[in-house]
């Protein structure tokens, strides 16, 4: 079971997003010279990164897709266009889509108290009179915090606890995972300017949203997504659970062991997450440590397992105002509201990036043990990029490859 908190990963993701602003949007377009495939291979090798899947879309078209390196180094399985992996917090955009589909049907209002729909009450115990709303959850303004129990729930295989039992146990006083100090911030739900040193980003908040979809939609969250998002978009090899996907096509997540890698006191890599494969020898500096295929109880925040190609179908639906190949998952008006700053100055789940030219891009990144991912597009010209690394330490390759892919759009 993992003891590492996702707090550090969130900070890493924030740094990655900052790098994107600098790397993708601040630099001038460099002259085309080295071929794209050779460029990517060089960057992977220079950063000791095992594998990468990536694609470039333009409006409703997939104009380039590539796979490089290894999905499974021990068994010499290369990355391919069919390779799937867990994609971290990009998954939140799918959870948000499910929520907004129900909103479109008039099942709730964004500023409703979620307690109107839950079978148990949820409140920040410091502010028992202040409701937690759907809009707050979708914008990370709910005051729910990722406490110790969140990180401790990581384990190999599919989740061993139901979403309902996890959310109730985490957010309701007396619950198995409850902590007044650990699970809730000291600021009021809906606070716009949070105190210095605090971080409003909440993974558990998206677990609660997933459970609200179950309660309001009347079916298991994973089944709801399959019926209303994956199937309409033709995402046949996408799912929340390991049991839902072809494990023969699943990439192994890797962590590069370096002198800079720091684990909590008393924790070794062998207890960080059990090693994948047959070899159990101690890891040493320079090794790529292969993790097992893991999960956590709060799965709606980060456990979609999919390929770059299939995720591009979801991205293209957003680029084209909710439609992919004549299948509509959201209305044009809903998509444009989500991709706006109308909600506490933010989008609903999606993050906004500004180019120096004044143009806007929208996207979401993902980070977890052994994976780093990015999904990003520009509404101005409909250019979108998706990148999956099956490694949580891609280094400079992260921004450099994204930069090059955006530059390549001019060739299509």
């Amino acid at each position: 079971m993992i003891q590492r908190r996702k707090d550090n990963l969130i900070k890493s993701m924030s740094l990655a997003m900052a790098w994107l602003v600098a790397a993708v949007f601040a630099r001038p377009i460099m002259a085309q010279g080295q071929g794209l495939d050779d460029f990517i291979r060089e960057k992977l090798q220079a950063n000791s990164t095992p594998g990468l899947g990536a694609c470039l879309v333009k409006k409703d078209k997939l104009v380039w897709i590539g796979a490089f390196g290894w999905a499974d180094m021990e068994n010499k399985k290369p990355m391919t266009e069919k390779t799937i992996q867990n994609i971290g917090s990009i998954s939140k955009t799918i959870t948000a889509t499910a929520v907004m589909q129900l909103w479109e049907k008039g099942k709730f209002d964004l500023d409703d108290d979620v307690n109107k729909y839950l079978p148990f009450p949820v409140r920040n115990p410091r502010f028992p009179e202040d409701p937690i709303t759907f809009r707050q959850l979708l914008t990370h303004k709910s005051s729910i915090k990722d406490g110790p129990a969140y990180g401790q729930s990581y384990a190999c295989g599919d989740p061993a606890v139901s979403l309902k039992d996890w959310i109730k146990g985490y957010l309701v006083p007396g619950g198995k995972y409850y902590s007044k100090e650990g699970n809730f911030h000291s600021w009021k739900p809906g606070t716009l300017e949070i105190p210095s040193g605090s971080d409003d980003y909440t993974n558990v908040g998206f677990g609660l949203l997933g459970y609200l979809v179950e309660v309001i939609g009347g079916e298991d969250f994973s089944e709801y997504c399959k019926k209303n998002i994956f199937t309409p978009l033709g995402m046949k090899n996408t799912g929340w659970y390991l049991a839902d996907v072809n494990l023969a096509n699943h990439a192994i997540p890797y962590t590069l062991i370096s002198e800079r890698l720091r684990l909590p006191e008393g924790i070794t890599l062998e207890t960080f997450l059990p090693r994948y494969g047959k070899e159990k020898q101690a890891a040493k500096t320079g090794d790529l440590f292969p993790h097992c295929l893991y999960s956590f109880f709060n799965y709606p925040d980060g456990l979609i397992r999919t390929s770059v190609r299939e995720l591009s179908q979801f991205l293209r639906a957003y680029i084209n105002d909710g439609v992919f190949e004549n299948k509509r998952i959201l209305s044009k008006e809903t998509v444009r509201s989500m991709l706006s700053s109308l909600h506490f100055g933010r989008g609903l789940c999606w993050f906004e990036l500004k180019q120096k030219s004044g143009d806007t891009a929208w996207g979401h990144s993902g980070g977890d043990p052994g994976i780093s991912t990015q999904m990003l597009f520009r509404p101005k010209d409909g250019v979108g990029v998706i990148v999956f690394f099956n490694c949580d330490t891609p280094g400079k390759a992260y921004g450099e490859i994204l930069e090059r892919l955006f530059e390549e759009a001019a060739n299509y």
Side-chain angles (χ1 to χ4, degrees):
M1 182 176 293
I2 189 169
Q3 301 296 320
R4 176 180 179 177
R5 292 278 305 283
K6 211 168 191 175
D7 303 24
N8 293 330
L9 288 167
I10 295 165
K11 292 176 183 176
S12 297
M13 289 159 56
S14 299
L15 289 173
M17 293 296 281
W19 166 255
L20 283 176
V21 176
V24 179
F25 298 134
R27 296 184 182 182
I29 294 177
M30 60 186 181
Q32 297 298 316
Q34 185 181 22
L36 177 60
D37 288 11
D38 288 340
F39 174 85
I40 291 175
R41 292 189 184 97
E42 178 185 290
K43 296 303 176 184
L44 295 183
Q45 184 176 4
N47 291 275
S48 301
T49 304
L52 171 141
C55 74
L56 177 63
V57 303
K58 208 165 188 179
K59 297 182 179 179
D60 61 344
K61 303 295 184 184
L62 177 65
V63 298
W64 177 87
I65 187 168
F68 304 85
W70 299 107
D72 180 344
M73 298 177 69
E74 180 176 351
N75 293 304
K76 305 300 182 189
K77 293 173 63 174
M79 280 281 195
T80 73
E81 292 183 18
K82 294 183 178 180
T83 300
I84 62 175
Q85 68 174 65
N86 51 309
I87 63 172
S89 287
I90 293 177
S91 305
K92 290 181 174 67
T93 61
I94 292 174
T95 298
T97 300
V99 170
M100 295 306 291
Q101 286 179 336
L102 294 172
W103 174 80
E104 283 189 343
K105 294 177 180 179
K107 299 291 187 180
F108 60 89
D109 290 328
L110 287 177
D111 294 314
D112 278 352
D113 182 346
V114 297
N115 284 352
K116 292 173 60 177
Y117 307 92
L118 293 171
F120 46 79
V122 172
R123 282 284 191 272
N124 184 327
R126 297 181 177 88
F127 306 98
E129 303 303 317
D130 292 273
I132 290 173
T133 70
F134 291 87
R135 195 188 309 270
Q136 290 168 3
L137 289 167
L138 287 163
T139 55
H140 301 282
K141 290 294 185 180
S142 68
S143 78
I144 294 173
K145 183 166 63 171
D146 297 340
Y150 174 80
Q152 292 165 2
S153 72
Y154 279 67
C156 302
D158 277 328
V161 173
S162 72
L163 188 56
K164 177 182 179 180
D165 288 346
W166 158 251
I167 292 298
K168 183 177 181 181
Y170 189 94
L171 295 175
V172 178
K176 182 177 180 180
Y177 314 105
Y178 185 82
S179 167
K180 175 181 176 179
E181 300 297 328
N183 296 0
F184 298 90
H185 286 289
S186 60
W187 42 268
K188 184 184 299 188
T191 299
L192 295 183
E193 297 296 329
I194 62 171
S196 177
S198 185
D199 187 350
D200 58 1
Y201 190 98
T202 170
N203 291 290
V204 176
F206 272 77
L208 176 56
L209 284 169
Y211 179 61
L212 283 161
V213 170
E214 285 194 350
V215 174
I216 298 170
E219 61 184 317
D220 179 83
F221 175 69
S222 65
E223 286 300 314
Y224 177 93
C225 292
K226 180 178 180 180
K227 183 185 300 183
N228 295 282
I229 301 174
F230 305 150
T231 297
L233 295 179
M235 300 170 72
K236 299 178 180 178
N237 301 299
T238 295
W240 291 99
Y241 299 129
L242 290 166
D244 294 335
V245 299
N246 182 356
L247 296 184
N249 292 334
H250 202 298
I252 302 303
Y254 293 90
T255 291
L256 177 65
I257 302 171
S258 71
E259 295 179 355
R260 292 178 293 176
L261 181 64
R262 295 290 182 267
L263 296 173
E265 185 177 354
I267 301 301
T268 67
L269 275 162
E270 294 292 347
T271 55
F272 178 59
L273 275 175
R275 177 190 286 270
Y276 163 80
K278 299 176 182 178
E279 300 298 327
K280 302 296 183 182
Q281 74 271 17
K284 61 182 183 297
T285 299
D287 284 353
L288 282 162
F289 182 86
H291 299 288
C292 66
L293 301 184
Y294 56 84
S295 71
F296 39 85
F297 305 155
N298 197 70
Y299 73 89
D301 86 81
L303 271 180
I304 281 293
R305 303 177 190 277
T306 191
S307 66
V308 165
R309 178 181 289 276
E310 292 202 355
L311 188 62
S312 82
Q313 293 158 206
F314 174 78
L315 177 60
R316 282 180 275 169
Y318 268 86
I319 291 173
N320 294 284
D321 291 326
V323 178
F324 173 74
E325 294 187 347
N326 298 317
K327 299 292 185 179
R328 180 171 291 281
I329 59 168
L330 288 171
S331 73
K332 174 181 177 179
E333 293 74 21
T334 299
V335 170
R336 296 201 173 183
S337 176
M338 294 176 73
L339 304 177
S340 74
S341 58
L342 298 175
H343 316 278
F344 302 115
R346 297 178 172 183
L348 294 180
C349 180
W350 294 71
F351 287 98
E352 181 182 20
L353 299 173
K354 285 290 187 181
Q355 302 183 46
K356 283 194 170 183
S357 65
D359 294 331
T360 296
W362 289 90
H364 212 294
S365 58
D368 248 330
I371 65 103
S372 300
T373 59
Q374 180 63 249
M375 178 177 72
L376 191 67
F377 82 97
R378 294 188 304 229
K380 178 181 178 179
D381 54 9
V383 170
V385 170
I386 298 173
V387 175
F388 292 178
F389 292 93
N390 62 332
C391 179
D392 53 22
T393 51
K396 292 182 178 180
Y398 193 101
E400 291 170 340
I401 291 172
L402 282 162
E403 176 187 10
R404 178 62 184 265
L405 286 171
F406 270 100
E407 290 173 354
E408 288 289 329
N411 297 326
Y412 295 94

